Every structure is written in structure tokens, then in C-alpha cells.
Amino acid sequence: FATFLLIQISIQHELPQAWRYYKLLYWIVLIGMGSLMTMLAGVALKWIMIGKKRPGPFTSTLYAGFADWAVDYHFKLGLIGLYQLTYNSRLWNLLLMMYGMDIDMRSKVYHEWFLPSQVDLITVKNSFVASVII
């Protein structure tokens, strides 16, 4: 709610109000920017709550399970609006890089399958991954 309120205040007088499709543009910009800010907040949340996972034996604690769930849920929430506007964009490669995935800009992945709590140990180079079950 706070994210959308801040964006609404910032763009309220910046869009051409005399234009016929002003309301449509307003909602597209509001949802797109809100989802992007939610994703960027999710990146910070991932690095604060989870950090970088290292290869080795898996140990599960109550806090680790909660942190994984919270970060993944936040990612899926931000995915709703941004996914519709940027489905086939390389923006997802940048976001997955920020979440810790080792991916190059030439690769194309179906980003919904890569959850932030799991991407630290995944490498995708010069590839196309349509869907995968992790």
C-alpha cells in the first residue's frame, strides 16, 4: 500500500491530464512502478533475511524456513503486476542477478520458476530455459 501511495503522489501531476488515455496510462505506470519497487524491496529483503547460500549440507531451521517463505512470497506478490508488463524482457535477468543468480544477459529464462531463496546456487549461461522444476 505504501509503495503505491508514494508512486501515486509522485506521478499525480507528471502525466498529461488532457490526453484521452490519461487514466489508462496512469494505472499502467502506477502498477508497473509499484511492482518494480516491490521487487527491489524484495531484493533487499532477500539479502537481509537470507544472505548468500553456499553449497554444502542442508540444514533447516525455523528461521530459515520462515525467511525463505517470506522472500519467495514477496517475490510472487511483485511478480503479479510486473510480469504482465515485462514478460519477455531482459529486466528479469537483471532482477535475478540482483537476487544472486549467476546469469548472463544473453540467456532467456522463465523467471517464475526461479525463486529467490534458491537462485544463489544456479548458473545459467548463454541458454534458454522455458520451464524447470527445482
Side-chain angles (χ1 to χ4, degrees):
F1 175 74
T3 303
F4 285 110
L5 181 63
L6 289 173
I7 295 168
Q8 184 179 9
I9 291 169
S10 67
I11 67 170
Q12 191 169 14
H13 299 291
E14 300 297 323
L15 298 175
Q17 295 182 1
W19 191 41
R20 178 180 182 179
Y21 298 107
Y22 163 74
K23 293 222 186 250
L24 177 65
L25 178 64
Y26 174 79
W27 283 106
I28 289 173
V29 170
L30 182 70
I31 291 170
M33 287 180 65
S35 297
L36 184 62
M37 287 181 68
T38 301
M39 289 300 237
L40 294 177
V43 169
L45 190 67
K46 190 259 184 200
W47 290 107
I48 291 169
M49 291 183 76
I50 297 175
K52 180 155 179 70
K53 290 189 176 181
R54 309 238 183 256
F58 176 73
T59 57
S60 180
T61 62
L62 184 62
Y63 175 75
F66 172 74
D68 288 350
W69 172 83
V71 171
D72 292 343
Y73 183 76
H74 198 269
F75 176 76
K76 288 178 184 178
L77 222 61
L79 187 73
I80 293 168
L82 198 58
Y83 177 76
Q84 300 302 325
L85 298 173
T86 62
Y87 172 71
N88 205 14
S89 173
R90 299 293 184 213
L91 171 71
W92 291 103
N93 289 19
L94 290 174
L95 279 170
L96 289 172
M97 281 181 202
M98 286 190 244
Y99 277 113
M101 186 176 194
D102 187 15
I103 186 171
D104 60 354
M105 291 304 291
R106 291 184 289 183
S107 297
K108 176 69 180 126
V109 296
Y110 186 65
H111 48 274
E112 193 173 331
W113 291 102
F114 294 101
L115 297 175
S117 62
Q118 302 168 344
V119 297
D120 286 333
L121 303 175
I122 298 174
T123 301
V124 177
K125 298 290 183 180
N126 202 11
S127 300
F128 174 81
V129 179
S131 65
V132 65
I133 297 176
I134 297 176

